[in-house]
Amino acid sequence: MNYVSTRGAAPTLNFCDTLLAGLANDGGLYVPQTWPTVAHGSPDASFAVRAAQILAPFVGDEIPPATLEALCRRAYGSFRDPLVAPLREMGENRWLLELFHGPTLAFKDVALQLIGQLFDHVLQARGERITVVGATSGDTGSAAIDGVKSCRNVAMVILYPQGRISEVQRRQMTTVDAANVHALAIDGTFDDCQDLVKAMFNDAPFRATHHLSAVNSINWARVMAQVVYYYTAIEQLHAVDSAPVSFSVPTGNFGNVLSGWIARQLGANVGHLIVGSNSNDILTRFFETQQITTAPVVPTLSPSMDIGVSSNFERLLFEMNGRDGVATADQIATFRTTGNLAVTADQFGTWIRPIFRGQRCSDAQTTAMIAATYRDHGVLVDPHTAVGLVATQACATPDEPVVTLATAHPAKFADAVEHATGVRAELPEHLADLLTRPERFTSVPNDLAAVQRFVASVSATR
Ligand SMILES: *Cc1c(COP(=O)(O)O)cnc(C)c1O
């Protein structure tokens, strides 16, 4: 399978090069040149086997099927639940899809555990090494570190703002005992960390010397890996030939729900896609007004969704523009200068109205939903999942089967859960000693030269 950029001006790449490139060099995002058709499979097959089957058309002949299956088995062997993404019934026509049984307790593990395996396989075959550099304000950093900690051909440096992330989030990064991963505590904000990473990528000689790469949410392989659980959820429900199943997705960067749209595009029996937002509601406002307009980001109880612009939306925009990269690039450029992007009534009626629903949710509604879910079902849910449940309640009819994606373990946001229910969610056994494990990190000033010296000292070229 070959991949093209949403902005039409970057070279067409094969799967392995797309995996390693991350962002396209015209600033766009890579998407498959064509959408294949992918049939539903057996509910008795394991998650790893289904993953290898569903992802095969996107990988093509670049990785043999038996090898792809072995990589999937290794990736999903690290999950605590043998089903990897089990369903939990929550009353008539309602289910939770628990995506938090991976090593770092958030759905990002589903993609990043596989990406670690894919990176190592491809780099080993080519005799290459890379240095993954990223900035994190929470979940992505720990999931990325865990994904690559046993990769022989990847060094990883993650920048985080010192004193500005939770203790659990920090310790999930600093207590990983692997020589190839490095947590850098920056004396600055999350934006400072992001600026430092961008500056390193914009320094072409530095980028080339140290083989820099990224695993942020615009990497195609992340979106691709997330398609799998939309298929397996429908198969577990034996709903392949019955009424379409709708999915409610707590949304930030639009990566997770885009994977649901792709599953629908490939032929999965997906009904509506319900987009749940917190007070950072750029997508809900788009569904109401047909216009995308920026607004300042405000902090909420669901911090992994505190996002001003949902970068993965560009992939859907490309489809809405009839896969015209030049038109998409123009639209994005206008958006960057005016802060406003409008789609036509035709585009909205074809691509959005029949498929998407949207609902915003305040912190008070989030807390009330955590409390109600515990009271009515005896189940503790994290604040991100609660946003999804509020959206389900607002957007679905009683006879519509809806799966709400549970994107984080309640113990990851234990304070918010305790505040709502009076109950403290326990960390799973493998993390029970997290708060007493030795930490390993390096403090660095908010200074590009100092950060570059550190990256050079640990980079994969040594
Ligand atoms: C990242 C994240 C989200 C948002 O996912 P997107 O793909 O960015 O829309 C939701 N919930 C949790 C717990 C997350 O970590």
Side-chain angles (χ1 to χ4, degrees):
M1 172 70 79
N2 283 325
Y3 291 83
V4 296
S5 166
T6 51
R7 299 195 193 169
T12 298
L13 299 182
N14 67 17
F15 172 75
C16 293
D17 287 327
T18 302
L19 169 75
L20 297 176
L23 197 68
N25 69 9
D26 58 1
L29 283 64
Y30 275 109
V31 288
Q33 202 155 35
T34 57
W35 293 114
T37 302
V38 177
H40 271 296
S42 163
D44 300 326
S46 73
F47 188 89
V49 166
R50 286 299 288 134
Q53 292 168 347
I54 293 162
L55 304 184
F58 295 105
V59 176
D61 56 8
E62 295 171 60
I63 300 176
T67 307
L68 182 60
E69 188 177 314
L71 296 173
C72 290
R73 280 187 200 280
R74 227 172 290 151
Y76 298 117
S78 64
F79 280 60
R80 296 181 309 284
D81 192 298
L83 289 175
V84 179
L87 284 162
R88 182 197 281 269
E89 194 168 349
M90 301 287 282
E92 199 162 343
N93 284 323
R94 298 290 183 266
W95 294 268
L96 278 179
L97 182 62
E98 296 181 350
L99 298 174
F100 52 69
H101 294 290
T104 74
L105 313 183
F107 88 96
K108 294 187 173 70
D109 286 327
V110 177
L112 285 162
Q113 288 292 311
L114 182 62
I115 284 204
Q117 297 297 330
L118 288 169
F119 267 10
D120 222 26
H121 171 79
V122 171
L123 293 166
Q124 185 74 20
R126 296 180 173 194
E128 289 174 13
R129 310 190 66 196
I130 56 169
T131 311
V132 174
V133 178
T136 189
S137 58
D139 290 339
T140 308
S142 53
I145 284 179
D146 209 281
V148 307
K149 70 180 182 200
S150 48
C151 294
R152 289 157 298 177
N153 304 298
V154 181
M156 173 169 269
V157 180
I158 294 287
L159 284 64
Y160 68 89
Q162 178 140 42
R164 291 170 200 252
I165 63 174
S166 79
E167 185 175 13
V168 167
Q169 287 177 324
R170 185 191 74 241
R171 284 181 164 274
Q172 283 190 311
M173 295 193 279
T174 58
T175 61
V176 173
D177 187 19
N180 64 325
V181 301
H182 308 274
L184 272 198
I186 300 294
D187 183 15
T189 63
F190 173 60
D191 285 338
D192 294 330
C193 294
Q194 273 198 313
D195 288 345
L196 288 164
V197 169
K198 271 188 211 146
M200 280 190 277
F201 276 93
N202 288 335
D203 180 342
F206 185 82
R207 178 180 182 163
T209 306
H210 300 289
H211 300 163
L212 295 196
S213 182
V215 291
N216 44 18
S217 77
I218 45 84
N219 190 303
W220 161 253
R222 281 184 64 177
V223 173
M224 173 189 89
Q226 292 162 186
V227 170
V228 174
Y229 46 72
Y230 289 91
Y231 269 85
T232 59
I234 293 166
E235 290 156 15
Q236 296 301 315
L237 290 174
H238 298 277
V240 169
D241 296 315
S242 39
V245 177
S246 296
F247 287 85
S248 176
V249 188
T251 297
N253 246 329
F254 204 73
N256 200 356
V257 69
L258 179 75
S259 301
W261 180 84
I262 292 169
R264 195 177 188 279
Q265 183 76 5
L266 304 181
N269 194 26
V270 173
H272 293 131
L273 292 165
I274 300 170
V275 176
S277 309
N278 60 27
S279 304
N280 301 292
D281 60 349
I282 184 166
L283 291 165
T284 313
R285 284 183 284 117
F286 170 63
F287 296 138
E288 289 166 355
T289 64
Q290 313 190 10
Q291 304 217 359
I292 296 186
T293 50
T294 51
V297 177
V298 296
T300 71
L301 291 175
S302 42
S304 300
M305 293 155 55
D306 292 347
I307 276 166
V309 177
S310 304
S311 45
N312 263 302
F313 193 77
E314 182 169 333
R315 288 188 160 110
L316 187 60
L317 211 52
F318 179 66
E319 303 293 337
M320 294 169 76
N321 288 325
R323 305 201 121 218
D324 180 341
V326 175
T328 308
D330 274 354
Q331 224 173 9
I332 298 285
T334 307
F335 179 63
R336 293 265 174 258
T337 49
T338 64
N340 185 41
L341 191 164
V343 303
T344 66
D346 241 18
Q347 287 175 319
F348 196 86
T350 305
W351 295 94
I352 304 297
R353 193 176 299 117
I355 305 171
F356 290 96
R357 303 281 179 271
Q359 177 65 33
R360 75 176 62 74
C361 171
S362 68
D363 276 355
Q365 288 173 295
T366 304
T367 301
M369 181 53 84
I370 297 172
T373 306
Y374 185 63
R375 186 190 62 222
D376 298 344
H377 301 278
V379 175
L380 294 175
V381 293
D382 98 289
H384 303 79
T385 305
V387 170
L389 288 169
V390 168
T392 299
Q393 204 171 53
C395 300
T397 57
D399 58 352
E400 179 179 1
V402 185
V403 171
T404 302
L405 304 198
T407 52
H409 191 287
K412 203 158 184 178
F413 299 92
D415 291 342
V417 172
E418 184 172 7
H419 172 70
T421 63
V423 179
R424 188 95 190 152
E426 298 283 335
L427 283 167
E429 208 172 324
H430 80 289
L431 289 172
D433 64 346
L434 185 71
L435 297 181
T436 57
R437 284 185 202 167
E439 290 191 79
R440 198 170 58 86
F441 62 92
T442 308
S443 296
V444 177
N446 177 14
D447 173 61
L448 181 60
V451 174
Q452 286 186 314
R453 266 196 305 281
F454 182 87
V455 171
S457 75
V458 301
S459 85
T461 54
R462 281 157 47 95

